[in-house]
Amino acid sequence: MDERLDGLEQERAEFADQCETVNQGLDARFDQVAEEEERAKKMKAEAEEQAQSMRAEREAEVENSKRMAARIDELEKAVADKDQMVSRMQSKTNDDCCTIQSLRLEVTAKWQNQAGPQSVPVGRVIQCYEELGTR
């Protein structure tokens, strides 16, 4: 019976050694998993930080694009306003030229009729100059 007790004691000791080896392996694996989890958390935090930075950059670019589009609209409106002003000035210039040409034709017609410059009505000349001045 002592042999049997010795055999059981030896089996128990071997089993305890095996359990200790397994426990050490598990502890090492748990430590490794904990390290991997910590690295994963750091990588996730870095990725989130990068994503936030990229979102901020994209939002800044969008705002800049909006400001540029608004400025382009302002410039296009200013150009359209200037075009209208030029068109009005050209129209006024054309009207003024027509008035001057009309007055010249009147003066020429009077002179050709041998009536001389005295026959051009002074009132008409003054009226033409007033029309030119009020435009």
Side-chain angles (χ1 to χ4, degrees), residues 68-107:
M68 289 174 59
R71 181 65 179 142
I72 289 170
D73 289 345
E74 289 174 12
L75 291 173
E76 286 175 345
K77 184 181 180 323
V79 167
D81 291 346
K82 295 293 181 186
D83 284 345
Q84 286 179 347
M85 186 175 73
V86 166
S87 179
R88 284 192 306 269
M89 291 175 76
Q90 286 175 337
S91 178
K92 181 187 177 310
T93 301
N94 287 342
D95 291 349
D96 291 349
C97 288
C98 289
T99 302
I100 291 169
Q101 185 63 28
S102 174
L103 184 57
R104 282 185 181 155
L105 288 174
E106 236 180 276
V107 169

PDB file of all heavy atoms in Angstrom, residues 68-107:
ATOM      1  N   MET A  68     -14.716  81.081 -51.291  1.00  0.00           N
ATOM      2  CA  MET A  68     -14.253  81.363 -52.642  1.00  0.00           C
ATOM      3  C   MET A  68     -15.433  81.455 -53.611  1.00  0.00           C
ATOM      4  O   MET A  68     -15.461  82.336 -54.477  1.00  0.00           O
ATOM      5  CB  MET A  68     -13.250  80.298 -53.094  1.00  0.00           C
ATOM      6  CG  MET A  68     -11.913  80.393 -52.382  1.00  0.00           C
ATOM      7  SD  MET A  68     -10.773  79.052 -52.775  1.00  0.00           S
ATOM      8  CE  MET A  68     -10.591  79.213 -54.518  1.00  0.00           C
ATOM      9  N   ALA A  69     -16.412  80.570 -53.459  1.00  0.00           N
ATOM     10  CA  ALA A  69     -17.594  80.600 -54.325  1.00  0.00           C
ATOM     11  C   ALA A  69     -18.371  81.896 -54.118  1.00  0.00           C
ATOM     12  O   ALA A  69     -18.829  82.514 -55.088  1.00  0.00           O
ATOM     13  CB  ALA A  69     -18.490  79.395 -54.041  1.00  0.00           C
ATOM     14  N   ALA A  70     -18.497  82.324 -52.860  1.00  0.00           N
ATOM     15  CA  ALA A  70     -19.187  83.585 -52.581  1.00  0.00           C
ATOM     16  C   ALA A  70     -18.422  84.759 -53.195  1.00  0.00           C
ATOM     17  O   ALA A  70     -19.031  85.676 -53.774  1.00  0.00           O
ATOM     18  CB  ALA A  70     -19.341  83.786 -51.069  1.00  0.00           C
ATOM     19  N   ARG A  71     -17.109  84.729 -53.096  1.00  0.00           N
ATOM     20  CA  ARG A  71     -16.289  85.813 -53.678  1.00  0.00           C
ATOM     21  C   ARG A  71     -16.419  85.811 -55.198  1.00  0.00           C
ATOM     22  O   ARG A  71     -16.513  86.877 -55.819  1.00  0.00           O
ATOM     23  CB  ARG A  71     -14.819  85.627 -53.268  1.00  0.00           C
ATOM     24  CG  ARG A  71     -13.909  86.693 -53.793  1.00  0.00           C
ATOM     25  CD  ARG A  71     -14.231  88.049 -53.209  1.00  0.00           C
ATOM     26  NE  ARG A  71     -13.303  89.036 -53.746  1.00  0.00           N
ATOM     27  CZ  ARG A  71     -13.613  90.252 -54.074  1.00  0.00           C
ATOM     28  NH1 ARG A  71     -14.839  90.695 -53.870  1.00  0.00           N
ATOM     29  NH2 ARG A  71     -12.729  91.063 -54.576  1.00  0.00           N
ATOM     30  N   ILE A  72     -16.438  84.638 -55.803  1.00  0.00           N
ATOM     31  CA  ILE A  72     -16.619  84.540 -57.258  1.00  0.00           C
ATOM     32  C   ILE A  72     -17.972  85.108 -57.653  1.00  0.00           C
ATOM     33  O   ILE A  72     -18.082  85.854 -58.636  1.00  0.00           O
ATOM     34  CB  ILE A  72     -16.452  83.080 -57.731  1.00  0.00           C
ATOM     35  CG1 ILE A  72     -14.977  82.675 -57.637  1.00  0.00           C
ATOM     36  CG2 ILE A  72     -16.978  82.893 -59.139  1.00  0.00           C
ATOM     37  CD1 ILE A  72     -14.726  81.198 -57.842  1.00  0.00           C
ATOM     38  N   ASP A  73     -19.011  84.779 -56.870  1.00  0.00           N
ATOM     39  CA  ASP A  73     -20.346  85.337 -57.152  1.00  0.00           C
ATOM     40  C   ASP A  73     -20.330  86.857 -57.069  1.00  0.00           C
ATOM     41  O   ASP A  73     -20.913  87.537 -57.920  1.00  0.00           O
ATOM     42  CB  ASP A  73     -21.384  84.775 -56.170  1.00  0.00           C
ATOM     43  CG  ASP A  73     -21.712  83.308 -56.426  1.00  0.00           C
ATOM     44  OD1 ASP A  73     -21.367  82.809 -57.528  1.00  0.00           O
ATOM     45  OD2 ASP A  73     -22.296  82.674 -55.535  1.00  0.00           O
ATOM     46  N   GLU A  74     -19.652  87.392 -56.029  1.00  0.00           N
ATOM     47  CA  GLU A  74     -19.546  88.853 -55.892  1.00  0.00           C
ATOM     48  C   GLU A  74     -18.850  89.458 -57.108  1.00  0.00           C
ATOM     49  O   GLU A  74     -19.300  90.484 -57.641  1.00  0.00           O
ATOM     50  CB  GLU A  74     -18.755  89.212 -54.635  1.00  0.00           C
ATOM     51  CG  GLU A  74     -19.464  88.956 -53.333  1.00  0.00           C
ATOM     52  CD  GLU A  74     -18.561  89.207 -52.143  1.00  0.00           C
ATOM     53  OE1 GLU A  74     -17.465  89.796 -52.305  1.00  0.00           O
ATOM     54  OE2 GLU A  74     -18.944  88.802 -51.031  1.00  0.00           O
ATOM     55  N   LEU A  75     -17.757  88.832 -57.512  1.00  0.00           N
ATOM     56  CA  LEU A  75     -16.996  89.357 -58.657  1.00  0.00           C
ATOM     57  C   LEU A  75     -17.810  89.275 -59.947  1.00  0.00           C
ATOM     58  O   LEU A  75     -17.788  90.205 -60.760  1.00  0.00           O
ATOM     59  CB  LEU A  75     -15.673  88.610 -58.802  1.00  0.00           C
ATOM     60  CG  LEU A  75     -14.648  88.865 -57.697  1.00  0.00           C
ATOM     61  CD1 LEU A  75     -13.456  87.928 -57.860  1.00  0.00           C
ATOM     62  CD2 LEU A  75     -14.202  90.312 -57.681  1.00  0.00           C
ATOM     63  N   GLU A  76     -18.534  88.168 -60.128  1.00  0.00           N
ATOM     64  CA  GLU A  76     -19.370  88.032 -61.324  1.00  0.00           C
ATOM     65  C   GLU A  76     -20.467  89.097 -61.339  1.00  0.00           C
ATOM     66  O   GLU A  76     -20.762  89.670 -62.380  1.00  0.00           O
ATOM     67  CB  GLU A  76     -19.978  86.629 -61.392  1.00  0.00           C
ATOM     68  CG  GLU A  76     -18.971  85.563 -61.781  1.00  0.00           C
ATOM     69  CD  GLU A  76     -19.531  84.164 -61.746  1.00  0.00           C
ATOM     70  OE1 GLU A  76     -20.623  83.948 -61.151  1.00  0.00           O
ATOM     71  OE2 GLU A  76     -18.888  83.257 -62.309  1.00  0.00           O
ATOM     72  N   LYS A  77     -21.049  89.382 -60.173  1.00  0.00           N
ATOM     73  CA  LYS A  77     -22.079  90.419 -60.088  1.00  0.00           C
ATOM     74  C   LYS A  77     -21.462  91.784 -60.398  1.00  0.00           C
ATOM     75  O   LYS A  77     -22.053  92.594 -61.116  1.00  0.00           O
ATOM     76  CB  LYS A  77     -22.726  90.431 -58.705  1.00  0.00           C
ATOM     77  CG  LYS A  77     -23.872  91.425 -58.614  1.00  0.00           C
ATOM     78  CD  LYS A  77     -24.492  91.439 -57.249  1.00  0.00           C
ATOM     79  CE  LYS A  77     -25.635  92.400 -57.103  1.00  0.00           C
ATOM     80  NZ  LYS A  77     -25.561  93.650 -57.771  1.00  0.00           N
ATOM     81  N   ALA A  78     -20.262  92.041 -59.846  1.00  0.00           N
ATOM     82  CA  ALA A  78     -19.588  93.308 -60.103  1.00  0.00           C
ATOM     83  C   ALA A  78     -19.299  93.463 -61.599  1.00  0.00           C
ATOM     84  O   ALA A  78     -19.477  94.546 -62.166  1.00  0.00           O
ATOM     85  CB  ALA A  78     -18.294  93.401 -59.296  1.00  0.00           C
ATOM     86  N   VAL A  79     -18.864  92.373 -62.233  1.00  0.00           N
ATOM     87  CA  VAL A  79     -18.595  92.415 -63.679  1.00  0.00           C
ATOM     88  C   VAL A  79     -19.888  92.697 -64.446  1.00  0.00           C
ATOM     89  O   VAL A  79     -19.911  93.513 -65.371  1.00  0.00           O
ATOM     90  CB  VAL A  79     -17.940  91.093 -64.155  1.00  0.00           C
ATOM     91  CG1 VAL A  79     -17.949  90.992 -65.667  1.00  0.00           C
ATOM     92  CG2 VAL A  79     -16.517  90.999 -63.623  1.00  0.00           C
ATOM     93  N   ALA A  80     -20.979  92.039 -64.037  1.00  0.00           N
ATOM     94  CA  ALA A  80     -22.272  92.258 -64.708  1.00  0.00           C
ATOM     95  C   ALA A  80     -22.718  93.712 -64.524  1.00  0.00           C
ATOM     96  O   ALA A  80     -23.200  94.344 -65.475  1.00  0.00           O
ATOM     97  CB  ALA A  80     -23.326  91.307 -64.155  1.00  0.00           C
ATOM     98  N   ASP A  81     -22.531  94.240 -63.305  1.00  0.00           N
ATOM     99  CA  ASP A  81     -22.878  95.649 -63.057  1.00  0.00           C
ATOM    100  C   ASP A  81     -22.036  96.575 -63.926  1.00  0.00           C
ATOM    101  O   ASP A  81     -22.551  97.547 -64.494  1.00  0.00           O
ATOM    102  CB  ASP A  81     -22.693  96.003 -61.574  1.00  0.00           C
ATOM    103  CG  ASP A  81     -23.710  95.329 -60.667  1.00  0.00           C
ATOM    104  OD1 ASP A  81     -24.720  94.798 -61.194  1.00  0.00           O
ATOM    105  OD2 ASP A  81     -23.492  95.338 -59.440  1.00  0.00           O
ATOM    106  N   LYS A  82     -20.758  96.293 -64.033  1.00  0.00           N
ATOM    107  CA  LYS A  82     -19.865  97.126 -64.860  1.00  0.00           C
ATOM    108  C   LYS A  82     -20.267  97.009 -66.332  1.00  0.00           C
ATOM    109  O   LYS A  82     -20.249  98.010 -67.055  1.00  0.00           O
ATOM    110  CB  LYS A  82     -18.402  96.708 -64.682  1.00  0.00           C
ATOM    111  CG  LYS A  82     -17.852  96.921 -63.315  1.00  0.00           C
ATOM    112  CD  LYS A  82     -17.736  98.376 -62.962  1.00  0.00           C
ATOM    113  CE  LYS A  82     -17.143  98.525 -61.576  1.00  0.00           C
ATOM    114  NZ  LYS A  82     -17.121  99.851 -61.085  1.00  0.00           N
ATOM    115  N   ASP A  83     -20.617  95.801 -66.757  1.00  0.00           N
ATOM    116  CA  ASP A  83     -21.067  95.621 -68.140  1.00  0.00           C
ATOM    117  C   ASP A  83     -22.311  96.461 -68.422  1.00  0.00           C
ATOM    118  O   ASP A  83     -22.415  97.101 -69.475  1.00  0.00           O
ATOM    119  CB  ASP A  83     -21.377  94.147 -68.432  1.00  0.00           C
ATOM    120  CG  ASP A  83     -20.123  93.307 -68.611  1.00  0.00           C
ATOM    121  OD1 ASP A  83     -19.031  93.893 -68.786  1.00  0.00           O
ATOM    122  OD2 ASP A  83     -20.246  92.068 -68.582  1.00  0.00           O
ATOM    123  N   GLN A  84     -23.247  96.462 -67.459  1.00  0.00           N
ATOM    124  CA  GLN A  84     -24.456  97.277 -67.632  1.00  0.00           C
ATOM    125  C   GLN A  84     -24.107  98.758 -67.685  1.00  0.00           C
ATOM    126  O   GLN A  84     -24.664  99.502 -68.491  1.00  0.00           O
ATOM    127  CB  GLN A  84     -25.449  97.016 -66.496  1.00  0.00           C
ATOM    128  CG  GLN A  84     -26.152  95.691 -66.587  1.00  0.00           C
ATOM    129  CD  GLN A  84     -27.097  95.473 -65.419  1.00  0.00           C
ATOM    130  OE1 GLN A  84     -27.065  96.188 -64.420  1.00  0.00           O
ATOM    131  NE2 GLN A  84     -27.943  94.452 -65.548  1.00  0.00           N
ATOM    132  N   MET A  85     -23.191  99.188 -66.816  1.00  0.00           N
ATOM    133  CA  MET A  85     -22.791 100.589 -66.801  1.00  0.00           C
ATOM    134  C   MET A  85     -22.136 100.962 -68.134  1.00  0.00           C
ATOM    135  O   MET A  85     -22.435 102.014 -68.709  1.00  0.00           O
ATOM    136  CB  MET A  85     -21.810 100.849 -65.646  1.00  0.00           C
ATOM    137  CG  MET A  85     -21.464 102.322 -65.469  1.00  0.00           C
ATOM    138  SD  MET A  85     -20.433 102.610 -64.040  1.00  0.00           S
ATOM    139  CE  MET A  85     -18.881 101.968 -64.608  1.00  0.00           C
ATOM    140  N   VAL A  86     -21.261 100.101 -68.629  1.00  0.00           N
ATOM    141  CA  VAL A  86     -20.605 100.367 -69.918  1.00  0.00           C
ATOM    142  C   VAL A  86     -21.653 100.425 -71.024  1.00  0.00           C
ATOM    143  O   VAL A  86     -21.598 101.304 -71.897  1.00  0.00           O
ATOM    144  CB  VAL A  86     -19.538  99.283 -70.208  1.00  0.00           C
ATOM    145  CG1 VAL A  86     -19.085  99.333 -71.655  1.00  0.00           C
ATOM    146  CG2 VAL A  86     -18.351  99.446 -69.274  1.00  0.00           C
ATOM    147  N   SER A  87     -22.609  99.505 -70.980  1.00  0.00           N
ATOM    148  CA  SER A  87     -23.655  99.492 -71.995  1.00  0.00           C
ATOM    149  C   SER A  87     -24.466 100.795 -71.961  1.00  0.00           C
ATOM    150  O   SER A  87     -24.762 101.379 -73.003  1.00  0.00           O
ATOM    151  CB  SER A  87     -24.570  98.294 -71.757  1.00  0.00           C
ATOM    152  OG  SER A  87     -25.598  98.262 -72.707  1.00  0.00           O
ATOM    153  N   ARG A  88     -24.817 101.249 -70.737  1.00  0.00           N
ATOM    154  CA  ARG A  88     -25.553 102.517 -70.619  1.00  0.00           C
ATOM    155  C   ARG A  88     -24.711 103.687 -71.131  1.00  0.00           C
ATOM    156  O   ARG A  88     -25.217 104.583 -71.808  1.00  0.00           O
ATOM    157  CB  ARG A  88     -25.958 102.760 -69.155  1.00  0.00           C
ATOM    158  CG  ARG A  88     -27.126 101.912 -68.687  1.00  0.00           C
ATOM    159  CD  ARG A  88     -27.667 102.386 -67.350  1.00  0.00           C
ATOM    160  NE  ARG A  88     -26.675 102.475 -66.299  1.00  0.00           N
ATOM    161  CZ  ARG A  88     -26.348 101.513 -65.442  1.00  0.00           C
ATOM    162  NH1 ARG A  88     -26.987 100.363 -65.516  1.00  0.00           N
ATOM    163  NH2 ARG A  88     -25.434 101.705 -64.521  1.00  0.00           N
ATOM    164  N   MET A  89     -23.424 103.673 -70.802  1.00  0.00           N
ATOM    165  CA  MET A  89     -22.549 104.765 -71.260  1.00  0.00           C
ATOM    166  C   MET A  89     -22.415 104.749 -72.783  1.00  0.00           C
ATOM    167  O   MET A  89     -22.410 105.806 -73.423  1.00  0.00           O
ATOM    168  CB  MET A  89     -21.177 104.658 -70.591  1.00  0.00           C
ATOM    169  CG  MET A  89     -21.218 104.959 -69.096  1.00  0.00           C
ATOM    170  SD  MET A  89     -19.635 104.688 -68.297  1.00  0.00           S
ATOM    171  CE  MET A  89     -18.736 106.121 -68.830  1.00  0.00           C
ATOM    172  N   GLN A  90     -22.321 103.541 -73.347  1.00  0.00           N
ATOM    173  CA  GLN A  90     -22.244 103.450 -74.813  1.00  0.00           C
ATOM    174  C   GLN A  90     -23.536 103.956 -75.449  1.00  0.00           C
ATOM    175  O   GLN A  90     -23.500 104.662 -76.463  1.00  0.00           O
ATOM    176  CB  GLN A  90     -21.971 102.005 -75.238  1.00  0.00           C
ATOM    177  CG  GLN A  90     -20.550 101.548 -74.990  1.00  0.00           C
ATOM    178  CD  GLN A  90     -20.349 100.081 -75.297  1.00  0.00           C
ATOM    179  OE1 GLN A  90     -21.292  99.297 -75.299  1.00  0.00           O
ATOM    180  NE2 GLN A  90     -19.096  99.704 -75.530  1.00  0.00           N
ATOM    181  N   SER A  91     -24.647 103.597 -74.835  1.00  0.00           N
ATOM    182  CA  SER A  91     -25.940 104.056 -75.353  1.00  0.00           C
ATOM    183  C   SER A  91     -26.036 105.572 -75.287  1.00  0.00           C
ATOM    184  O   SER A  91     -26.477 106.228 -76.235  1.00  0.00           O
ATOM    185  CB  SER A  91     -27.077 103.406 -74.547  1.00  0.00           C
ATOM    186  OG  SER A  91     -28.321 103.876 -74.993  1.00  0.00           O
ATOM    187  N   LYS A  92     -25.607 106.151 -74.143  1.00  0.00           N
ATOM    188  CA  LYS A  92     -25.636 107.614 -73.989  1.00  0.00           C
ATOM    189  C   LYS A  92     -24.703 108.262 -75.008  1.00  0.00           C
ATOM    190  O   LYS A  92     -25.055 109.269 -75.625  1.00  0.00           O
ATOM    191  CB  LYS A  92     -25.218 107.995 -72.571  1.00  0.00           C
ATOM    192  CG  LYS A  92     -25.245 109.498 -72.306  1.00  0.00           C
ATOM    193  CD  LYS A  92     -24.660 109.813 -70.954  1.00  0.00           C
ATOM    194  CE  LYS A  92     -24.581 111.269 -70.663  1.00  0.00           C
ATOM    195  NZ  LYS A  92     -23.978 112.104 -71.661  1.00  0.00           N
ATOM    196  N   THR A  93     -23.535 107.673 -75.184  1.00  0.00           N
ATOM    197  CA  THR A  93     -22.584 108.205 -76.157  1.00  0.00           C
ATOM    198  C   THR A  93     -23.178 108.159 -77.561  1.00  0.00           C
ATOM    199  O   THR A  93     -23.065 109.125 -78.327  1.00  0.00           O
ATOM    200  CB  THR A  93     -21.265 107.417 -76.111  1.00  0.00           C
ATOM    201  OG1 THR A  93     -20.722 107.504 -74.795  1.00  0.00           O
ATOM    202  CG2 THR A  93     -20.259 107.944 -77.108  1.00  0.00           C
ATOM    203  N   ASN A  94     -23.836 107.055 -77.888  1.00  0.00           N
ATOM    204  CA  ASN A  94     -24.480 106.946 -79.204  1.00  0.00           C
ATOM    205  C   ASN A  94     -25.574 108.003 -79.360  1.00  0.00           C
ATOM    206  O   ASN A  94     -25.694 108.632 -80.415  1.00  0.00           O
ATOM    207  CB  ASN A  94     -25.068 105.552 -79.404  1.00  0.00           C
ATOM    208  CG  ASN A  94     -23.998 104.512 -79.633  1.00  0.00           C
ATOM    209  OD1 ASN A  94     -22.855 104.829 -79.970  1.00  0.00           O
ATOM    210  ND2 ASN A  94     -24.348 103.254 -79.429  1.00  0.00           N
ATOM    211  N   ASP A  95     -26.378 108.186 -78.287  1.00  0.00           N
ATOM    212  CA  ASP A  95     -27.424 109.220 -78.327  1.00  0.00           C
ATOM    213  C   ASP A  95     -26.812 110.602 -78.509  1.00  0.00           C
ATOM    214  O   ASP A  95     -27.320 111.415 -79.300  1.00  0.00           O
ATOM    215  CB  ASP A  95     -28.269 109.188 -77.042  1.00  0.00           C
ATOM    216  CG  ASP A  95     -29.138 107.957 -76.945  1.00  0.00           C
ATOM    217  OD1 ASP A  95     -29.252 107.219 -77.948  1.00  0.00           O
ATOM    218  OD2 ASP A  95     -29.686 107.713 -75.847  1.00  0.00           O
ATOM    219  N   ASP A  96     -25.736 110.879 -77.766  1.00  0.00           N
ATOM    220  CA  ASP A  96     -25.057 112.179 -77.885  1.00  0.00           C
ATOM    221  C   ASP A  96     -24.526 112.383 -79.296  1.00  0.00           C
ATOM    222  O   ASP A  96     -24.661 113.473 -79.880  1.00  0.00           O
ATOM    223  CB  ASP A  96     -23.901 112.288 -76.881  1.00  0.00           C
ATOM    224  CG  ASP A  96     -24.388 112.388 -75.442  1.00  0.00           C
ATOM    225  OD1 ASP A  96     -25.607 112.574 -75.241  1.00  0.00           O
ATOM    226  OD2 ASP A  96     -23.543 112.288 -74.531  1.00  0.00           O
ATOM    227  N   CYS A  97     -23.940 111.320 -79.858  1.00  0.00           N
ATOM    228  CA  CYS A  97     -23.426 111.415 -81.228  1.00  0.00           C
ATOM    229  C   CYS A  97     -24.565 111.683 -82.218  1.00  0.00           C
ATOM    230  O   CYS A  97     -24.408 112.474 -83.157  1.00  0.00           O
ATOM    231  CB  CYS A  97     -22.688 110.142 -81.616  1.00  0.00           C
ATOM    232  SG  CYS A  97     -21.089 109.976 -80.790  1.00  0.00           S
ATOM    233  N   CYS A  98     -25.705 111.019 -82.004  1.00  0.00           N
ATOM    234  CA  CYS A  98     -26.857 111.248 -82.881  1.00  0.00           C
ATOM    235  C   CYS A  98     -27.345 112.684 -82.779  1.00  0.00           C
ATOM    236  O   CYS A  98     -27.682 113.322 -83.773  1.00  0.00           O
ATOM    237  CB  CYS A  98     -27.993 110.281 -82.535  1.00  0.00           C
ATOM    238  SG  CYS A  98     -27.631 108.576 -83.010  1.00  0.00           S
ATOM    239  N   THR A  99     -27.383 113.226 -81.555  1.00  0.00           N
ATOM    240  CA  THR A  99     -27.815 114.617 -81.355  1.00  0.00           C
ATOM    241  C   THR A  99     -26.851 115.575 -82.048  1.00  0.00           C
ATOM    242  O   THR A  99     -27.272 116.514 -82.729  1.00  0.00           O
ATOM    243  CB  THR A  99     -27.908 114.939 -79.845  1.00  0.00           C
ATOM    244  OG1 THR A  99     -28.820 114.023 -79.247  1.00  0.00           O
ATOM    245  CG2 THR A  99     -28.362 116.346 -79.605  1.00  0.00           C
ATOM    246  N   ILE A 100     -25.565 115.334 -81.864  1.00  0.00           N
ATOM    247  CA  ILE A 100     -24.552 116.192 -82.512  1.00  0.00           C
ATOM    248  C   ILE A 100     -24.676 116.081 -84.022  1.00  0.00           C
ATOM    249  O   ILE A 100     -24.642 117.095 -84.738  1.00  0.00           O
ATOM    250  CB  ILE A 100     -23.135 115.812 -82.029  1.00  0.00           C
ATOM    251  CG1 ILE A 100     -22.967 116.195 -80.553  1.00  0.00           C
ATOM    252  CG2 ILE A 100     -22.063 116.465 -82.886  1.00  0.00           C
ATOM    253  CD1 ILE A 100     -21.714 115.641 -79.911  1.00  0.00           C
ATOM    254  N   GLN A 101     -24.824 114.854 -84.533  1.00  0.00           N
ATOM    255  CA  GLN A 101     -24.963 114.663 -85.980  1.00  0.00           C
ATOM    256  C   GLN A 101     -26.218 115.364 -86.497  1.00  0.00           C
ATOM    257  O   GLN A 101     -26.191 115.998 -87.556  1.00  0.00           O
ATOM    258  CB  GLN A 101     -25.011 113.161 -86.319  1.00  0.00           C
ATOM    259  CG  GLN A 101     -25.035 112.857 -87.790  1.00  0.00           C
ATOM    260  CD  GLN A 101     -23.776 113.332 -88.503  1.00  0.00           C
ATOM    261  OE1 GLN A 101     -22.695 113.430 -87.927  1.00  0.00           O
ATOM    262  NE2 GLN A 101     -23.905 113.660 -89.777  1.00  0.00           N
ATOM    263  N   SER A 102     -27.297 115.273 -85.741  1.00  0.00           N
ATOM    264  CA  SER A 102     -28.539 115.935 -86.136  1.00  0.00           C
ATOM    265  C   SER A 102     -28.337 117.447 -86.206  1.00  0.00           C
ATOM    266  O   SER A 102     -28.795 118.104 -87.154  1.00  0.00           O
ATOM    267  CB  SER A 102     -29.641 115.582 -85.129  1.00  0.00           C
ATOM    268  OG  SER A 102     -30.801 116.302 -85.395  1.00  0.00           O
ATOM    269  N   LEU A 103     -27.672 117.995 -85.202  1.00  0.00           N
ATOM    270  CA  LEU A 103     -27.401 119.438 -85.192  1.00  0.00           C
ATOM    271  C   LEU A 103     -26.497 119.816 -86.367  1.00  0.00           C
ATOM    272  O   LEU A 103     -26.744 120.838 -87.039  1.00  0.00           O
ATOM    273  CB  LEU A 103     -26.752 119.825 -83.859  1.00  0.00           C
ATOM    274  CG  LEU A 103     -26.479 121.297 -83.638  1.00  0.00           C
ATOM    275  CD1 LEU A 103     -27.766 122.115 -83.769  1.00  0.00           C
ATOM    276  CD2 LEU A 103     -25.842 121.532 -82.282  1.00  0.00           C
ATOM    277  N   ARG A 104     -25.493 119.022 -86.666  1.00  0.00           N
ATOM    278  CA  ARG A 104     -24.614 119.305 -87.807  1.00  0.00           C
ATOM    279  C   ARG A 104     -25.411 119.312 -89.116  1.00  0.00           C
ATOM    280  O   ARG A 104     -25.193 120.166 -89.975  1.00  0.00           O
ATOM    281  CB  ARG A 104     -23.500 118.259 -87.904  1.00  0.00           C
ATOM    282  CG  ARG A 104     -22.393 118.466 -86.919  1.00  0.00           C
ATOM    283  CD  ARG A 104     -21.287 117.462 -87.163  1.00  0.00           C
ATOM    284  NE  ARG A 104     -20.219 117.655 -86.200  1.00  0.00           N
ATOM    285  CZ  ARG A 104     -19.383 116.726 -85.821  1.00  0.00           C
ATOM    286  NH1 ARG A 104     -19.489 115.521 -86.335  1.00  0.00           N
ATOM    287  NH2 ARG A 104     -18.447 116.982 -84.958  1.00  0.00           N
ATOM    288  N   LEU A 105     -26.286 118.290 -89.253  1.00  0.00           N
ATOM    289  CA  LEU A 105     -27.085 118.222 -90.473  1.00  0.00           C
ATOM    290  C   LEU A 105     -27.984 119.451 -90.603  1.00  0.00           C
ATOM    291  O   LEU A 105     -28.147 119.998 -91.701  1.00  0.00           O
ATOM    292  CB  LEU A 105     -27.930 116.949 -90.485  1.00  0.00           C
ATOM    293  CG  LEU A 105     -27.160 115.640 -90.703  1.00  0.00           C
ATOM    294  CD1 LEU A 105     -28.092 114.450 -90.534  1.00  0.00           C
ATOM    295  CD2 LEU A 105     -26.500 115.617 -92.078  1.00  0.00           C
ATOM    296  N   GLU A 106     -28.537 119.878 -89.460  1.00  0.00           N
ATOM    297  CA  GLU A 106     -29.388 121.081 -89.476  1.00  0.00           C
ATOM    298  C   GLU A 106     -28.594 122.301 -89.909  1.00  0.00           C
ATOM    299  O   GLU A 106     -29.031 123.083 -90.757  1.00  0.00           O
ATOM    300  CB  GLU A 106     -29.952 121.309 -88.054  1.00  0.00           C
ATOM    301  CG  GLU A 106     -31.458 121.388 -88.016  1.00  0.00           C
ATOM    302  CD  GLU A 106     -31.946 121.610 -86.604  1.00  0.00           C
ATOM    303  OE1 GLU A 106     -32.081 120.608 -85.873  1.00  0.00           O
ATOM    304  OE2 GLU A 106     -32.180 122.777 -86.256  1.00  0.00           O
ATOM    305  N   VAL A 107     -27.405 122.450 -89.307  1.00  0.00           N
ATOM    306  CA  VAL A 107     -26.553 123.603 -89.646  1.00  0.00           C
ATOM    307  C   VAL A 107     -26.135 123.528 -91.106  1.00  0.00           C
ATOM    308  O   VAL A 107     -26.201 124.525 -91.843  1.00  0.00           O
ATOM    309  CB  VAL A 107     -25.327 123.657 -88.709  1.00  0.00           C
ATOM    310  CG1 VAL A 107     -24.303 124.669 -89.204  1.00  0.00           C
ATOM    311  CG2 VAL A 107     -25.762 123.984 -87.284  1.00  0.00           C
TER     312      VAL A 107
END
